[in-house]
Coordinates of all heavy atoms in Angstrom, one line a residue:
I29 N 14.2 3.1 24.5 CA 15.3 3.0 25.4 C 15.5 4.3 26.2 O 15.7 4.2 27.4 CB 16.6 2.7 24.6 CG1 16.6 1.3 23.9 CG2 17.9 2.9 25.5 CD1 17.7 1.1 23.0
R30 N 15.3 5.4 25.5 CA 15.3 6.7 26.2 C 14.3 6.8 27.3 O 14.6 7.2 28.4 CB 15.2 7.8 25.2 CG 15.2 9.2 25.8 CD 16.6 9.6 26.3 NE 16.7 11.0 26.7 CZ 17.7 11.5 27.3 NH1 18.8 10.8 27.4 NH2 17.7 12.8 27.7
L31 N 13.1 6.4 27.0 CA 12.0 6.5 28.0 C 12.3 5.5 29.1 O 12.1 5.9 30.3 CB 10.7 6.0 27.3 CG 9.4 6.0 28.2 CD1 9.2 7.4 28.8 CD2 8.2 5.5 27.5
G32 N 12.8 4.3 28.8 CA 13.1 3.4 29.9 C 14.2 4.0 30.8 O 14.2 3.8 32.0
W33 N 15.2 4.7 30.2 CA 16.2 5.3 31.0 C 15.7 6.3 31.9 O 16.1 6.4 33.1 CB 17.3 5.9 30.1 CG 18.4 6.5 30.8 CD1 19.5 6.0 31.4 CD2 18.6 7.9 31.1 NE1 20.3 6.9 32.0 CE2 19.8 8.1 31.8 CE3 17.8 9.0 30.8 CZ2 20.2 9.3 32.3 CZ3 18.2 10.3 31.3 CH2 19.4 10.4 32.0
V34 N 14.8 7.1 31.5 CA 14.2 8.2 32.3 C 13.4 7.6 33.4 O 13.5 8.0 34.6 CB 13.2 9.1 31.4 CG1 12.5 10.0 32.3 CG2 14.1 9.8 30.4
I35 N 12.6 6.5 33.1 CA 11.8 5.9 34.2 C 12.7 5.2 35.2 O 12.5 5.4 36.4 CB 10.9 4.8 33.6 CG1 9.8 5.5 32.7 CG2 10.2 4.0 34.7 CD1 8.9 4.5 32.0
T36 N 13.8 4.5 34.7 CA 14.7 3.9 35.7 C 15.4 4.9 36.6 O 15.6 4.7 37.8 CB 15.8 3.1 34.9 OG1 15.1 2.1 34.1 CG2 16.8 2.4 35.8
K37 N 15.8 6.1 36.0 CA 16.4 7.1 36.7 C 15.5 7.7 37.8 O 15.9 7.9 39.0 CB 16.9 8.2 35.8 CG 17.7 9.3 36.6 CD 18.2 10.4 35.6 CE 18.9 11.5 36.3 NZ 19.4 12.6 35.4
A38 N 14.2 7.8 37.4 CA 13.2 8.3 38.4 C 13.0 7.3 39.5 O 13.0 7.7 40.7 CB 11.9 8.6 37.7
D39 N 12.9 6.1 39.1 CA 12.8 5.0 40.2 C 14.0 5.0 41.1 O 13.8 4.8 42.3 CB 12.6 3.6 39.5 CG 11.3 3.5 38.9 OD1 10.4 4.3 39.2 OD2 11.1 2.5 38.0
A40 N 15.2 5.2 40.6 CA 16.4 5.1 41.4 C 16.4 6.3 42.4 O 16.8 6.2 43.5 CB 17.6 5.2 40.5
E41 N 15.9 7.5 41.9 CA 15.9 8.7 42.8 C 14.9 8.4 43.9 O 15.1 8.8 45.0 CB 15.5 9.9 41.9 CG 16.6 10.3 41.0 CD 16.2 11.5 40.1 OE1 15.0 11.8 40.1 OE2 17.0 12.1 39.4
L42 N 13.7 7.9 43.5 CA 12.7 7.6 44.6 C 13.3 6.6 45.6 O 13.0 6.7 46.8 CB 11.4 7.0 43.9 CG 10.6 8.1 43.1 CD1 9.4 7.4 42.4 CD2 10.1 9.2 44.1
A43 N 13.9 5.5 45.1 CA 14.5 4.5 46.0 C 15.5 5.1 46.9 O 15.6 4.8 48.1 CB 15.1 3.4 45.1
E44 N 16.4 6.0 46.3 CA 17.4 6.7 47.1 C 16.8 7.5 48.2 O 17.2 7.5 49.4 CB 18.3 7.5 46.3 CG 19.4 8.2 47.0 CD 20.4 9.0 46.1 OE1 20.1 9.0 44.9 OE2 21.3 9.6 46.6
Q45 N 15.7 8.2 47.9 CA 15.0 9.0 48.9 C 14.4 8.2 50.0 O 14.5 8.5 51.2 CB 13.9 9.9 48.2 CG 14.4 10.9 47.3 CD 13.3 11.6 46.5 OE1 12.1 11.4 46.8 NE2 13.6 12.5 45.6

Side-chain angles (χ1 to χ4, degrees):
I29 293 173
R30 179 69 176 177
L31 178 61
W33 179 83
V34 171
I35 293 174
T36 302
K37 183 178 180 181
D39 288 344
E41 292 175 351
L42 290 174
E44 182 178 0
Q45 294 173 5

